[in-house]
Amino acid sequence: MKIIDAHIHYSNIDTFKDTAKNLSFVDYSFEGIKEEMENANIVLAIGMGVTETPEMGFPDYHTQTPMGLDLTASLPENIVYCAGINPYDMDKSAIKRLEKELQKPHVVGMKIYLGYYPFYAYDDVYEPVYQLAEKYHLPVVFHTGDTYSERGLLKYSHPLAIDEVAVKHRKVKFMMAHFGDPWTLTGAEIIYKNSNVYADLSGLIVGAKKELEEAHEGIFLDHLRHALVFSHSYDKLLFGTDWPLAPIGPYIEFIKKLIPEAYHKDVFYRTALKVFPKIKPFLKEA
């Protein structure tokens, strides 16, 4: 089965390096991602643009919009990305840079880091992003749920705020990263109610193969299983790993156990094509 990983990271972020070394035990490098993708039959991965400066670290108020993937000077040919948004850098010049970035073939969407930056999804600061998304027929990805930093503020990452944006911008497709976890029941209602909202299943577990296998034991995932059944929207879910927070191969097996087999092709491949139409040229030879 061909697989699209709709949520990875490939940026020079100290937290990602530390997680790869001490928790997930992945090779966070050009060679590492290429090998993992090849072994897992990942035909395309979508990176989430994010950068940090030495002065602050992510969430970083000093980075420039658009944020990209800067782990290495070049990207593997089957990795595309969403341009990251820093709401503290959204003046006219930043919006011009962002629009220019969106015209690059490898830029397939935009990423807003709710919770990491203290602005709700419906804040006026993000209106230029939604206008550009409609103009260029690109999706907007929201970080939702738990933040991978103690400096994050959780009230801004609760998925309920996305409902207002989805209603106001019906022509734009939105994707909730992490399904709003741990507020997955709210996330389920948002994708059920709004035809233009989807969710990825990335970052639900941080760790290596052992942690992924053990997560299915006991009641740890009951809130997620409840939400998946409640939403009855398997065709609106996308596979993603949040690499390097977890190794790709074991994460595939982890998600396969959560999703009925009848929907595997949707979750692992087809729905990504609906949400990210700009990726289609990269899959012609896949």
Side-chain angles (χ1 to χ4, degrees):
M1 181 175 64
K2 295 183 296 185
I3 299 174
I4 295 171
D5 189 333
H7 191 138
I8 70 162
H9 293 285
Y10 192 77
S11 294
N12 188 25
I13 303 289
D14 286 341
T15 304
F16 293 154
K17 294 177 181 179
D18 181 70
T19 297
K21 181 180 179 181
N22 298 307
L23 295 176
S24 61
F25 308 115
V26 305
D27 179 3
Y28 190 47
S29 69
F30 187 97
E31 294 77 15
I33 188 61
K34 284 196 67 176
E35 182 177 0
E36 283 204 53
M37 288 176 65
E38 183 176 346
N39 290 342
N41 201 26
I42 303 291
V43 295
L44 188 79
I46 303 173
M48 299 298 154
V50 57
T51 55
E52 66 181 9
T53 62
E55 293 84 2
M56 192 172 191
F58 189 76
D60 197 316
Y61 297 176
H62 308 303
T63 55
Q64 188 178 80
T65 296
M67 297 186 285
L69 308 182
D70 62 352
L71 183 63
T72 55
S74 60
L75 297 175
E77 59 184 12
N78 56 348
I79 291 181
V80 295
Y81 63 97
C82 293
I85 307 299
N86 176 5
Y88 290 107
D89 183 42
M90 283 297 288
D91 59 14
K92 290 182 179 180
S93 61
I95 294 169
K96 287 182 179 179
R97 288 195 306 271
L98 178 58
E99 183 165 16
K100 185 176 181 181
E101 183 85 351
L102 298 181
Q103 296 173 52
K104 296 178 180 179
H106 281 72
V107 179
V108 301
M110 289 174 280
K111 173 70 180 289
I112 290 176
Y113 289 89
L114 301 179
Y116 291 101
Y117 294 108
F119 299 88
Y120 289 107
Y122 50 74
D123 194 287
D124 287 343
V125 71
Y126 292 126
E127 277 302 308
V129 175
Y130 306 142
Q131 292 169 14
L132 287 173
E134 182 174 346
K135 179 178 179 179
Y136 289 98
H137 307 289
L138 295 175
V140 175
V141 180
F142 293 111
H143 172 87
T144 59
D146 182 37
T147 60
Y148 205 50
S149 168
E150 289 186 0
R151 291 192 289 119
L153 294 172
L154 294 174
K155 68 178 182 178
Y156 297 103
S157 62
H158 194 285
L160 186 60
I162 293 172
D163 183 51
E164 186 169 333
V165 178
V167 170
K168 184 176 181 180
H169 298 279
R170 302 303 297 167
K171 295 181 180 179
V172 179
K173 286 187 172 67
F174 298 98
M175 184 176 86
M176 293 187 299
H178 322 305
F179 201 23
D181 191 41
W183 302 297
T184 51
L185 201 57
T186 300
E189 172 61 18
I190 298 299
I191 66 171
Y192 172 78
K193 181 250 184 184
N194 295 291
S195 62
N196 57 332
V197 182
Y198 299 76
D200 79 35
L201 299 173
S202 70
L204 300 175
I205 300 292
V206 177
K209 182 178 179 180
K210 178 176 179 290
E211 286 73 28
L212 290 166
E213 291 177 343
E214 290 178 348
H216 281 282
E217 301 174 3
I219 65 172
F220 182 76
L221 292 176
D222 280 1
H223 72 296
L224 178 60
R225 295 187 180 100
H226 180 191
L228 291 171
V229 174
F230 176 81
S231 72
H232 196 59
S233 302
Y234 291 105
D235 60 332
K236 299 188 75 180
L237 301 173
L238 292 78
F239 171 75
T241 58
D242 220 8
W243 190 89
L245 273 61
I248 295 176
Y251 203 87
I252 290 172
E253 297 307 313
F254 168 74
I255 295 298
K256 279 183 176 179
K257 294 178 182 178
L258 290 170
I259 303 297
E261 188 173 356
Y263 297 99
H264 280 187
K265 288 184 178 179
D266 288 326
V267 172
F268 286 96
Y269 190 83
R270 291 173 182 159
T271 305
L273 292 171
K274 297 178 184 177
V275 178
F276 298 93
K278 202 173 173 182
I279 69 176
K280 291 178 182 178
F282 295 93
L283 298 167
K284 288 182 178 179
E285 304 300 323

